[in-house]
Amino acid sequence: PVAPPAAAETTAVAAATAPTAHVTAIPFQDLDYSGDQSALVALDRDLNAARTDLPKLAAIEARLVALLRRTDASIAARQAACQRLGTVWAATGAPSASALELFKAMLVDDRETDIARLTLERTPGAAVDTLLVDAAGKTTGRIRLGIIQTLTARAPVSAVATLAALLGDQDPATAKASATALGQIGNAAALAALRSAPATVPGLFEAKLTLARTLPTAECVALLTELQGDTRAAPHQRASALRGLL
C-alpha cells in the first residue's frame, strides 16, 4: 500500500536528516594487508609528486624511518615503508646516515632482517655493502644465511675477506653459501679464497665453475681444465667443466 502523503513526507525528512556512516581512515602505522589503504595511497601520491626533488625525498625518507623506529607499527606498515624506502634510495642514490643506522639494527633482528636485507639488496652504494658485510660477520644461523644470500646478489668485492673466513664455518649451509657468493664475486681474491678452502666445503666445485665464466678466456680455460681433471669431483661435475671447454 502507498503511504499517505503526510507519512511519506515524514519518511523522506527522516532519511535526509539521518546521520551518514563515517569510516575513519586507518593511520599508516596500523596498516593491514586488507581494509583501508588511504594512508598508503597518500604516501604513494607524495612519492610520485616528489619525483627527483631531493629535499622532498629526504622528507619522505625521514617519515618512513620514523615509522620503522616505532615499536607499535604493524608488519604490513613496516613492509610497505621498506618498499617505499627502496624507491626513495633509487632516486637519491644512497640512504641517509640515519637510515643506515636504523637498518644496521634491523639486519641483526630476527623479526626485521628479511625486510631489511631485501630493501638493501637493490640499493646501490659502498655504505650498504659495508653494512651487510659487517652484519655477516656478527650474526649466525638463519640471519647470516639471509645476509650472505643478499651479498651473493650484490657481489661486492669488499665481502671477499669475510666470506673467505666463513668457508671454514662448522655450519655446512654457511660454508656453501659463502662459496656460492665468492663464485659470484668472481675476482682474483675470490678465486684464491676458493682455491685455499678445504675440499670438503659443500658447493666448492660449483662455485669455481661459476667463477670460471667471469674470467678472461685464457684463465677461464685453465680453471675449467683444472676442474675437469679433478679426480675428487663427481663425474657429472667434471662433465660440466668439460662442457665449458667445448
Side-chain angles (χ1 to χ4, degrees):
V2 178
E9 182 179 345
T10 301
T11 302
V13 170
T17 58
T20 56
H22 179 67
V23 179
T24 303
I26 297 176
F28 186 61
Q29 67 268 17
D30 297 331
L31 188 72
D32 202 350
Y33 294 110
S34 60
D36 180 67
Q37 303 287 301
S38 58
L40 188 58
V41 171
L43 172 61
D44 286 339
R45 188 184 305 118
D46 291 345
L47 195 53
N48 289 332
R51 296 183 179 272
T52 58
D53 187 314
L54 294 182
K56 289 182 179 179
L57 290 169
I60 293 172
E61 183 196 45
R63 284 165 52 190
L64 295 172
V65 167
L67 180 133
L68 289 170
R69 290 189 186 279
R70 295 182 61 138
T71 57
D72 62 342
S74 68
I75 295 175
R78 303 178 81 78
Q79 184 178 27
C82 283
Q83 290 170 340
R84 273 65 182 181
L85 278 173
T87 302
V88 170
W89 295 338
T92 62
S96 66
S98 175
L100 287 172
E101 179 187 0
L102 171 65
F103 272 72
K104 180 179 181 180
M106 290 175 65
L107 276 175
V108 299
D109 186 318
D110 187 60
R111 297 169 301 174
E112 307 272 39
T113 186
D114 290 333
I115 59 173
R117 66 182 182 80
L118 290 173
T119 303
L120 294 173
E121 185 172 301
R122 61 183 187 273
T123 301
V128 174
D129 292 334
T130 299
L131 208 64
L132 290 164
V133 172
D134 288 348
K138 296 175 181 176
T139 52
T140 58
R142 186 190 76 84
I143 294 178
R144 183 168 63 187
L145 284 173
I147 293 169
I148 295 173
Q149 181 180 346
T150 297
L151 288 171
T152 302
R154 292 176 66 87
V157 173
S158 59
V160 170
T162 295
L163 293 169
L166 291 175
L167 287 173
D169 196 85
Q170 293 182 346
D171 174 34
T174 295
K176 181 178 181 179
S178 300
T180 300
L182 287 166
Q184 288 293 333
I185 293 172
N187 67 353
L191 178 57
L194 292 174
R195 284 188 186 280
S196 61
T200 54
V201 172
L204 187 61
F205 188 97
E206 288 76 13
K208 291 179 181 177
L209 196 61
T210 297
L211 192 149
R213 300 189 182 103
T214 70
L215 298 174
T217 302
E219 296 175 34
C220 174
V221 169
L223 181 54
L224 289 174
T225 301
E226 174 188 323
L227 293 173
Q228 196 275 327
D230 186 354
T231 56
R232 298 169 299 179
H236 72 275
Q237 291 176 315
R238 297 175 66 184
S240 296
L242 178 61
R243 283 195 296 271
L245 288 168
L246 298 179

